[in-house]
């Protein structure tokens, strides 16, 4: 039953999760940063969908367990934020999103680069994987910024609704090597991480295109 469910819904889930992640990154996060607290609930809904999606696409209990752990960490962080906001909240949320990002990257890459025909859904999955790379660097930057004072210029590590949106913005600016100059790394570790993300952002499209073409040619052959 699990294999049948995975074969039927694995590819469509790639498109569905891509749409949800785009909404979270480019709609919900900015509105939350603007003070509309209602959109904080979207993160919980998205996390629950990710848990279900990871199970359907991979069938791996390890992936589901990692997702549940990250969801529990995010829930504890939310409770601490309501009771007494502190730096611990940032670390809990960062840890939750790091685990979730790594797990999603593993699950999605397995579905996108699996043998077989390259479909529209798998191309959307490749977009999802690219977005996941940026999301995974967000908690890493949060850890560095919270542990190393003044690691970034123009990016204060204060537990506010705007923090997630600011980190997302900085991660995508780095991944795409846009470099507006309003936020930049100062600490050597922060600079090294930015270099790594920028290199991944440049190599990913070329590697992705070559891999997808190879899979399609193998399928036709």
């Amino acid at each position: 039953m699990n294999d049948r469910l995975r074969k039927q819904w694995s590819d469509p889930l790639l498109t569905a999760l891509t749409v949800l992640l785009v909404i979270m990154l480019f709609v919900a996060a900015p509105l939350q940063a603007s003070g509309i607290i209602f959109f904080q609930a979207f993160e919980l809904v998205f996390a629950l969908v990710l848990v279900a999606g990871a199970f359907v696409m991979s069938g791996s209990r390890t992936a589901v367990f990692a997702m549940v752990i990250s969801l529990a960490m995010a829930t504890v962080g939310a409770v601490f934020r309501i009771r007494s906001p502190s730096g611990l909240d940032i670390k809990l949320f960062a840890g939750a999103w790091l685990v979730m990002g790594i797990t999603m990257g593993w699950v999605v890459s397995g579905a996108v680069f699996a043998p077989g025909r390259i479909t529209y859904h798998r191309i959307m999955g490749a977009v999802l994987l690219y977005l996941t790379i940026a999301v995974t660097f967000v908690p890493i930057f949060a850890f560095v910024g919270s542990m190393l004072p003044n690691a970034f210029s123009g990016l204060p590590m204060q537990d506010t609704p705007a923090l997630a949106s600011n980190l997302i913005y900085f991660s995508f600016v780095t991944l795409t090597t846009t470099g507006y100059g309003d936020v930049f790394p100062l600490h050597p570790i922060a600079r090294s991480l930015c270099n790594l993300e920028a290199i991944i952002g440049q190599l990913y499209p070329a590697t992705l295109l070559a891999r997808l073409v190879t899979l399609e040619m193998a399928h036709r052959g």
Side-chain angles (χ1 to χ4, degrees):
M1 181 65 181
N2 289 339
D3 290 339
R4 186 187 309 170
L5 184 67
R6 186 160 58 252
K7 290 179 180 179
Q8 182 178 0
W9 292 104
S10 180
D11 281 2
L13 267 174
L14 293 173
T15 300
L17 291 178
T18 302
V19 173
L20 282 175
L21 185 57
V22 167
I23 294 174
M24 191 198 77
L25 293 176
F26 306 118
V27 179
L31 290 176
Q32 178 181 322
S34 301
I36 305 178
I37 308 300
F38 168 77
F39 285 94
Q40 290 184 356
F42 187 85
E43 294 182 3
L44 177 60
V45 174
F46 180 72
L48 292 173
V49 174
L50 283 184
V51 172
F55 174 72
V56 173
M57 283 192 293
S58 68
S60 170
R61 295 182 179 179
T62 302
V64 175
F65 179 75
M67 288 292 192
V68 171
I69 291 296
S70 66
L71 182 59
M73 292 173 64
T75 303
V76 173
V79 172
F80 284 172
R81 172 180 289 175
I82 294 173
R83 292 186 175 182
S84 56
S86 65
L88 179 61
D89 309 343
I90 297 177
K91 293 180 176 62
L92 284 172
F93 279 112
W97 279 105
L98 181 60
V99 173
M100 192 171 294
I102 292 174
T103 306
M104 275 303 299
W106 170 49
V107 171
V108 172
S109 61
V112 171
F113 299 120
R117 184 177 181 181
I118 302 303
T119 63
Y120 166 81
H121 293 300
R122 292 180 70 175
I123 293 175
M124 291 297 292
V127 175
L128 175 60
L129 184 57
Y130 187 74
L131 297 176
T132 302
I133 293 172
V135 170
T136 304
F137 272 91
V138 167
I140 296 175
F141 290 143
F143 275 126
V144 173
S146 61
M147 294 180 179
L148 302 173
N150 302 319
F152 300 94
S153 174
L155 188 59
M157 289 294 160
Q158 299 175 353
D159 190 11
T160 64
L163 178 60
S165 181
N166 293 336
L167 287 168
I168 290 170
Y169 163 76
F170 177 68
S171 183
F172 275 101
V173 166
T174 305
L175 184 68
T176 57
T177 64
T178 306
Y180 289 119
D182 52 345
V183 181
F184 53 89
L186 297 176
H187 195 278
I189 294 179
R191 290 178 175 176
S192 179
L193 288 171
C194 290
N195 287 337
L196 177 61
E197 185 176 15
I199 292 172
I200 293 174
Q202 294 300 301
L203 293 179
Y204 179 84
T207 305
L208 168 69
L209 181 61
R211 179 58 177 164
L212 292 182
V213 170
T214 301
L215 288 172
E216 181 64 18
M217 293 298 293
H219 175 76
R220 292 183 180 183

